[in-house]
Amino acid sequence: MKTFSLAAALLATGLLAACSGSSGSSGRTQSNFDDAIDFIDAAGPDAENIRSVSVDQLPNRATMSGQMLAGMDRAESTFVGDATATANFATGRIAGRATNFTEYESSAACDSSRWSACTGREIQDLGGTLDIAGRITDTTFSYDTQGKLTGTDAELGPVVADIHMDGVGRFGQLNNQLVAIGVQDGTAVLSSDSGRVTSEIAGVLILSE
């Protein structure tokens, strides 16, 4: 499926390897999909442009924003939402939300990691919000993402998706900014007039201070 091949392409870049704003301009009208791809492109091959940070370099508290990307095994599309989170390093907590989700069809360039040519065609806007909550340990974090999104499924029609994902991530530095990168997976239970369908779902969280 395209969503999972896009996730595999991200993994192949090394961007998420250490997990087990935006930069650049193309003159296009920016969407949250474009912002996410710009971040990935700025990170460079094997995330070589993201520098490791030590605990001593972290602030007591950081307000961060970026995107959450997700895909289900039943759909050849990518869902991208605007994400915000507060990382409280003093208390060891991270909390936030992802909202304003849009479903995109991604181009073939995305699957082959040609990020400068990677584009997304908007399919539909989704309603709802996913909450992010987790714990910080040194320069890494674990978190869960849950909530409901509403939209239209190609087979089921109007649906409510009850989503729960668990993830792990790390903090680093890109272009002298504190960034956070996470990878998550779980399930989405889709409820419609036709009944309920459970789908695997995987996602990526990218945040910048």
Side-chain angles (χ1 to χ4, degrees):
M1 294 287 182
K2 184 169 288 188
T3 39
F4 284 90
S5 58
L6 176 56
L10 289 171
L11 205 56
T13 66
L15 183 64
L16 302 177
C19 291
S20 17
S22 304
S23 68
S25 175
S26 61
R28 64 195 170 189
T29 301
Q30 287 288 116
S31 66
N32 52 11
F33 183 97
D34 297 326
D35 289 338
I37 296 303
D38 281 352
F39 180 102
I40 295 162
D41 192 33
D46 297 323
E48 62 187 13
N49 297 329
I50 296 182
R51 295 188 300 163
S52 298
V53 294
S54 66
V55 174
D56 293 340
Q57 292 176 286
L58 296 173
N60 287 333
R61 183 184 179 94
T63 300
M64 311 183 78
S65 61
Q67 293 77 40
M68 178 179 288
L69 295 82
M72 292 185 291
D73 62 358
R74 63 177 284 109
E76 295 185 5
S77 54
T78 301
F79 304 91
V80 184
D82 299 320
T84 57
T86 298
N88 191 323
F89 297 100
T91 62
R93 299 283 184 176
I94 184 169
R97 57 171 41 190
T99 189
N100 299 326
F101 275 88
T102 301
E103 181 180 5
Y104 295 93
E105 178 185 4
S106 57
S107 65
C110 305
D111 298 336
S112 57
S113 303
R114 292 185 290 115
W115 304 120
S116 61
C118 173
T119 59
R121 182 181 67 84
E122 183 177 334
I123 297 174
Q124 65 172 321
D125 292 328
L126 306 177
T129 299
L130 301 182
D131 292 321
I132 302 165
R135 296 189 63 87
I136 300 169
T137 304
D138 296 329
T139 60
T140 66
F141 61 99
S142 58
Y143 65 105
D144 64 71
T145 301
Q146 55 186 322
K148 297 181 187 294
L149 297 179
T150 59
T152 301
D153 182 83
E155 295 179 7
L156 302 175
V159 297
V160 176
D162 191 351
I163 293 170
H164 186 278
M165 293 182 283
D166 295 312
V168 293
R170 67 180 177 98
F171 294 96
Q173 199 171 63
L174 177 63
N175 296 331
N176 296 316
Q177 283 186 308
L178 181 68
V179 298
I181 311 161
V183 58
Q184 61 214 28
D185 59 23
T187 58
V189 179
L190 280 62
S191 300
S192 70
D193 290 342
S194 303
R196 290 188 176 185
V197 174
T198 299
S199 176
E200 293 183 7
I201 186 169
V204 176
L205 176 66
I206 49 178
L207 299 167
S208 299
E209 188 176 24

